[in-house]
Amino acid sequence: MKSFHPPEILLLGPGPSPVPQRVLDALARPTVGHLDPSFVAMMDELKELLRFAFQTRNALTIPISAPGSAGMEAAFVNLVEPGDKVVICRNGVFGGRMRENVVRIGAIPIVVDDAFGTPIDIDKVEATLMGHPGVKALAFVHAETSTGVESDAAALCALAREHGALSIVDAVTSLGGIPVQTDSWGADAVYSGSQKCLSAPPGLSPLTFSERAVAALKARQRPVQSWFLDLSLVMGYWQGGGARSYHHTAPVNMLYALHEALLCLSQEGLEASFARHRENHLRLCRGLQSIDLELPVAERARLPQLNAVGVPAGVDEAAVRRRLLTDFGIEIGAGLGEMAGKIWRIGLMGAGSTPQNVDRVVDALGVCLGRRAA
Ligand SMILES: Cc1ncc(COP(=O)(O)O)c(C=O)c1O
């Protein structure tokens, strides 16, 4: 066996996204102890950078030491107890995973289904909350990566408040690419992933809890059943003021990388990042139309960072993806769940969202489909 050297692939799938050299350089810096004073100072900056990205002043804003799925699980296990009623909006694969979390806790999921490829229907959610008094939480995916659809997070968080429920928001694919306005939405638990629009490697899940969410955590009847994800323990390590206690050994170098990636975002500015994602998405739409490919999601609900593209009739979608990878060094995603075989997913996330990448993928797709000269 030899050292592993991965091929150079342009990552234009549903994540991970391309990681800038600057972030890789940060990852390669010397490992220090996770209670080293220099590291502890960096952790404080990291929390502040996460507050900036989440647009919040929430004190409990930290990266969970595991991928986005752990952020999802942390939100549910800390806020939901056995027997609680939870309204889950399911318009894609990740809404289905939320339901799975609720079931495993021994809580009662009340699922509001919408067709994959369409946004969450706010009226249906309101009717469901009215029909089920005493719901503990309303959970939804802001940016459904499986379908490329954005839902109205502001309206859903407002509905949760009106009905006395906590809101749990999956912002894995949205953070950094489209506005995530935690405080102005009044969202209670929002989690994300490092590998999408933040362009750090996969493996960390930024998470923020409102004061209401922290109060709900403190008021629990039973201890959180996951020791590792119990935020009342994890907080002991992430709190400021030099009183940190050991909980688990933090993924030190990954945290350097996330710090650097968030620094890139803060130097670009949130609004500039959102505008860049939007412009490159529009360029992609024009490019795809020029080779007669369709975008099945309604224009107003399209995510700029994750583009669902209809597979033309008679085309072997897996063969096209294989050729993109082998002949052009480009990764795009397949459809997930009930969208398998029907769509490709082109991610223009974080550092991957550039005009050059858009042109590269459109040209390569055109060649693979015989709609453009090689
Ligand atoms: C919307 C959404 N939620 C949750 C996840 C799970 O994140 P991870 O794969 O980092 O565990 C993903 C990953 O693609 C996602 O897109």
Side-chain angles (χ1 to χ4, degrees):
M1 280 191 216
K2 296 185 295 205
S3 304
F4 176 62
H5 290 277
E8 284 221 3
I9 303 294
L10 176 57
L11 296 173
L12 300 183
S17 62
V19 180
Q21 191 56 47
R22 177 176 162 182
V23 175
L24 292 174
D25 289 346
L27 190 67
R29 287 181 193 137
T31 304
V32 295
H34 67 115
L35 291 171
D36 187 276
S38 65
F39 186 69
V40 164
M42 190 280 288
M43 287 164 73
D44 284 337
E45 284 187 8
L46 184 49
K47 287 192 292 183
E48 205 44 47
L49 285 163
L50 285 175
R51 287 188 193 102
F52 156 79
F54 277 120
Q55 301 190 54
T56 184
R57 294 311 311 154
N58 286 342
L60 177 43
T61 304
I62 59 170
I64 300 285
S65 303
S69 305
M72 179 186 287
E73 193 146 341
F76 284 98
V77 294
N78 281 278
L79 296 179
V80 177
E81 297 190 58
D84 284 344
K85 288 187 280 185
V86 181
V87 171
I88 306 282
C89 305
R90 181 171 56 186
N91 64 335
V93 167
F94 293 100
R97 288 198 185 174
M98 289 179 147
R99 179 187 172 280
E100 191 62 31
N101 270 276
V102 169
V103 170
R104 287 178 187 221
I105 288 168
I108 303 158
I110 301 162
V111 178
V112 180
D113 273 310
D114 281 296
F116 281 29
T118 64
I120 296 162
D121 181 333
I122 307 293
D123 294 338
K124 262 165 52 180
V125 176
E126 182 165 29
T128 305
L129 285 166
M130 300 230 272
H132 295 86
V135 160
K136 177 74 172 285
L138 166 67
F140 66 92
V141 180
H142 179 210
E144 241 307 342
T145 327
S146 63
T147 59
V149 167
E150 177 177 2
S151 287
D152 187 344
L156 288 163
C157 290
L159 267 185
R161 290 234 157 193
E162 266 169 49
H163 291 268
L166 297 164
S167 48
I168 298 179
V169 185
D170 180 315
V172 170
T173 284
S174 42
L175 194 69
I178 53 175
V180 173
Q181 298 172 310
T182 304
D183 286 359
S184 70
W185 293 345
D188 292 302
V190 190
Y191 59 86
S192 188
S194 47
Q195 77 277 26
K196 309 270 187 177
C197 296
L198 301 180
S199 277
L204 291 174
S205 179
L207 170 129
T208 186
F209 264 34
S210 71
E211 279 178 18
R212 260 183 8 137
V214 173
L217 169 58
K218 288 190 175 145
R220 286 179 64 98
Q221 308 286 311
R222 304 171 186 76
V224 173
Q225 73 266 27
S226 163
W227 179 87
F228 182 64
L229 294 174
D230 181 346
L231 290 177
S232 54
L233 303 176
V234 177
M235 270 187 310
Y237 175 59
W238 277 94
Q239 70 193 337
R244 283 187 171 77
S245 55
Y246 166 69
H247 176 259
H248 63 277
T249 308
V252 168
N253 293 55
M254 268 304 297
L255 293 171
Y256 303 164
L258 182 61
H259 180 275
E260 194 67 25
L262 287 163
L263 213 52
C264 293
L265 181 62
S266 75
Q267 286 163 357
E268 179 177 21
L270 285 180
E271 292 306 324
S273 174
F274 303 151
R276 175 170 57 81
H277 281 86
R278 177 113 232 113
E279 277 158 27
N280 291 319
H281 159 73
L282 294 175
R283 186 182 184 98
L284 179 72
C285 294
R286 290 193 297 273
L288 293 173
Q289 277 153 8
S290 76
I291 52 171
D292 290 328
L293 286 175
E294 285 172 12
L295 294 108
V297 174
E299 215 171 309
R300 65 185 167 78
R302 283 179 197 159
L303 285 171
Q305 65 274 51
L306 197 285
N307 299 271
V309 182
V311 176
V315 168
D316 177 348
E317 77 81 21
V320 171
R321 277 187 296 112
R322 258 195 317 276
R323 184 158 176 220
L324 278 177
L325 194 62
T326 49
D327 293 1
F328 299 90
I330 302 175
E331 177 186 284
I332 66 167
L336 265 191
E338 62 183 68
M339 305 308 272
K342 297 182 188 155
I343 59 167
W344 290 301
R345 291 179 299 152
I346 300 183
L348 296 173
M349 295 177 175
S353 176
T354 68
Q356 294 78 11
N357 288 348
V358 169
D359 296 349
R360 245 182 95 177
V361 70
V362 170
D363 285 346
L365 260 176
V367 172
C368 292
L369 295 169
R371 297 176 183 187
R372 210 161 256 192

